Amino acid sequence: MSTTTKDLTKPETATPRRGCANLAARIAAIEPIQARVGGRNQLLVRVETEDGLVGWGESGLSSREAAVSEVVKNFEGFLRGKDSRQIGRSWQEAYRSQYFEGGRIITAAMSAIDIALYDLLGKRLGVPVYQLLGGKQRDMVPTFASFMADEIEQSLADTRTLIDAGWDCVRIYPSGFENTIFNPRASLQRTAETLIRLRETFGHSICIGIDLHHRYTPAEIASLSNMLPRGTLDFLEEPIRSESPEAYEMLRTMTDIPFAIGEEFSSKWQAAPFIEKGLTQYMRFDISNIGGFTEAMKVAGWCERHYIDLMPHNPLGPVCTAASVHMSAAVANFSWLETRQSPVENLGFHNRDIFPVQAEMDGPCYIVSDAPGLGIEINEAALRASDVGHVECPHLSRPDGSVTNW
């Protein structure tokens, strides 16, 4: 029998806590910052570690930034002091730290924090975020561009401008508004006429899609499909709200036009029936709503198993755009990323006074940055100096006075 004698002449050393060997990587602060950029507010989240490194994320729940900000502050209470490199663990703790799981406000806050943690980790390791996702699979990220289809002749001119600038996929969104009155039947008739003219004029050399912003019923979408000659449309985006996969199953039997669905999704669980039942042919999730890189990459892999390409939602600012570009570069199953920076749109969401370094475009494609992290730089003084006031989405009514969807 052997015994071990403790050497009292040697000082004891503390055993480092698991996951915190490098104390400099611990989260020191998580701060939500609301700013007016262009005609819309943006909610950015700034995460700083003990050694002064800063990462940025963005939340995608427009018009409800104040509510998301409060959740971010709540999360800071238990994430402060945690290892910023344990991104997956932080995601799980934020999601499972309350009895009532999930929901868009919670996952919008989680998304912004998750994106910021990836930005931090890339900077800490000196690599672009796409390297943390398995490396890039494409050197450029192609996009589709959008415009409001108010008048047919203007729609033809906008499409010609985009084609001349290199775009091969355009998306229109119908107006049909009289102030805040929306008449779906009248809108569909004008929309059908515009789509038919676009296809007749430009043939099948371009892809044509339409964003219906879930303002319609299955019956109204079936009517639109019946108005269009076969092959007019390449995709129908968000024709109805996504709460009822069963309604999408019904609608799927009424038209053979591919669906592009997902910008409302806030988790893999919400995406599940649309993937497993073949209810969408393009996945439109938003990295700033679904749960950041952590959740987006899981859904992307699931979509790949079903041969569903990603067509990510990207209507926000430079932080969301940069995150979407890195994710889009790193997945195999990808078609186009939404851009709001085309020659026919000037929304002001990518203000260079606030975002002097951001994802750049080469014609219709985003260049994948090789800079560490997301590859963006933010002028914090300009960001904090921007005027912030609540921006409410329009509240639409039908001609009979009843409320309908924005």
Side-chain angles (χ1 to χ4, degrees):
M1 178 175 167
S2 62
T3 60
T4 301
T5 303
K6 189 174 183 180
D7 188 349
L8 300 178
T9 64
K10 293 183 179 179
E12 286 192 65
T13 57
T15 302
R17 289 187 296 157
R18 178 182 294 179
C20 287
N22 184 356
L23 299 182
R26 292 189 307 184
I27 295 171
I30 301 176
E31 180 187 7
I33 304 173
Q34 295 185 59
R36 177 68 64 83
V37 187
R40 179 187 287 176
N41 287 337
Q42 292 179 22
L43 175 57
L44 303 187
V45 171
R46 180 185 188 277
V47 180
E48 184 172 354
T49 51
E50 295 283 359
D51 59 354
L53 203 60
V54 172
W56 292 94
E58 184 172 5
S59 162
L61 204 60
S62 298
S63 290
R64 298 295 177 260
E65 294 88 359
V68 178
S69 292
E70 291 304 311
V71 176
V72 171
K73 294 174 185 176
N74 180 268
F75 286 162
E76 188 203 25
F78 57 80
L79 291 178
R80 192 190 310 116
K82 300 293 177 67
D83 190 335
S84 65
R85 299 167 300 181
Q86 293 183 314
I87 301 174
R89 188 188 188 284
S90 293
W91 194 102
Q92 293 292 337
E93 186 169 2
Y95 193 84
R96 301 177 186 277
S97 61
Q98 56 276 318
Y99 178 77
F100 297 99
E101 71 278 355
R104 289 183 179 88
I105 292 175
I106 288 176
T107 58
M110 291 173 54
S111 298
I113 294 171
D114 187 90
I115 291 168
L117 292 178
Y118 269 91
D119 187 28
L120 271 170
L121 184 57
K123 291 173 179 175
R124 188 168 299 283
L125 299 177
V127 299
V129 165
Y130 69 74
Q131 293 287 20
L132 307 177
L133 307 176
K136 62 181 178 182
Q137 303 201 35
R138 53 188 54 81
D139 297 319
M140 307 283 279
V141 173
T143 70
F144 70 81
S146 309
F147 57 84
M148 178 78 78
D150 283 321
E151 301 292 340
I152 291 179
E153 294 305 318
Q154 185 60 51
S155 296
L156 294 173
D158 286 344
T159 302
R160 171 54 63 193
T161 297
L162 291 171
I163 291 173
D164 290 346
W167 268 269
D168 62 5
C169 182
V170 299
R171 179 191 69 171
I172 73 167
Y173 39 100
S175 56
F177 304 159
E178 298 296 335
N179 295 318
T180 58
I181 304 299
F182 178 65
N183 186 329
R185 286 289 174 181
S187 170
L188 289 177
Q189 179 182 349
R190 293 196 297 272
T191 298
E193 293 170 357
T194 299
L195 290 170
I196 291 169
R197 283 287 302 280
L198 286 174
R199 185 58 77 194
E200 288 175 347
T201 303
F202 299 105
H204 291 278
S205 61
I206 61 168
C207 291
I208 300 175
I210 184 169
D211 178 9
L212 295 172
H213 224 256
H214 60 231
R215 294 193 181 112
Y216 301 87
T217 66
E220 289 162 350
I221 297 304
S223 294
L224 173 64
S225 299
N226 290 335
M227 295 178 196
L228 299 174
R230 189 180 180 91
T232 301
L233 265 181
D234 291 295
F235 63 87
L236 265 171
E237 180 185 340
E238 310 289 346
I240 61 177
R241 293 183 80 102
S242 65
E243 290 107 331
S244 173
E246 295 81 8
Y248 264 107
E249 287 188 75
M250 174 177 61
L251 184 57
R252 185 68 284 172
T253 68
M254 298 179 178
T255 178
D256 60 0
I257 301 171
F259 290 161
I261 308 167
E263 66 186 64
E264 296 179 83
F265 296 167
S266 59
S267 72
K268 63 177 98 51
W269 295 283
Q270 197 172 359
F274 292 86
I275 298 171
E276 292 295 331
K277 295 181 179 181
L279 302 183
T280 188
Q281 285 64 57
Y282 295 100
M283 175 54 68
R284 284 280 289 148
F285 67 59
D286 187 322
I287 196 169
S288 292
N289 278 330
I290 200 164
F293 289 106
T294 297
E295 191 80 337
M297 293 301 289
K298 294 175 183 177
V299 176
W302 199 351
C303 287
E304 184 181 4
R305 189 259 188 203
H306 291 271
Y307 307 115
I308 298 170
D309 273 0
L310 303 189
M311 190 194 293
H313 188 234
N314 178 43
L316 304 172
V319 178
C320 176
T321 295
S324 299
V325 168
H326 281 277
M327 178 197 64
S328 299
V331 298
N333 48 320
F334 177 82
S335 288
W336 304 278
L337 174 64
E338 177 178 352
T339 185
R340 311 310 297 268
Q341 295 178 271
S342 80
V344 298
E345 282 194 308
N346 183 20
L347 303 175
F349 297 160
H350 292 69
N351 185 320
R352 289 190 179 274
D353 291 335
I354 300 175
F355 305 97
V357 178
Q358 55 184 272
E360 301 291 347
M361 299 193 75
D362 181 4
C365 297
Y366 280 108
I367 301 168
V368 183
S369 172
D370 291 321
L374 293 174
I376 59 170
E377 293 180 13
I378 295 177
N379 181 337
E380 285 196 44
L383 178 71
R384 296 177 187 276
S386 67
D387 293 328
V388 178
H390 178 66
V391 178
E392 183 72 11
C393 292
H395 292 198
L396 300 183
S397 299
R398 295 198 175 199
D400 62 5
S402 61
V403 174
T404 191
N405 301 323
W406 166 244

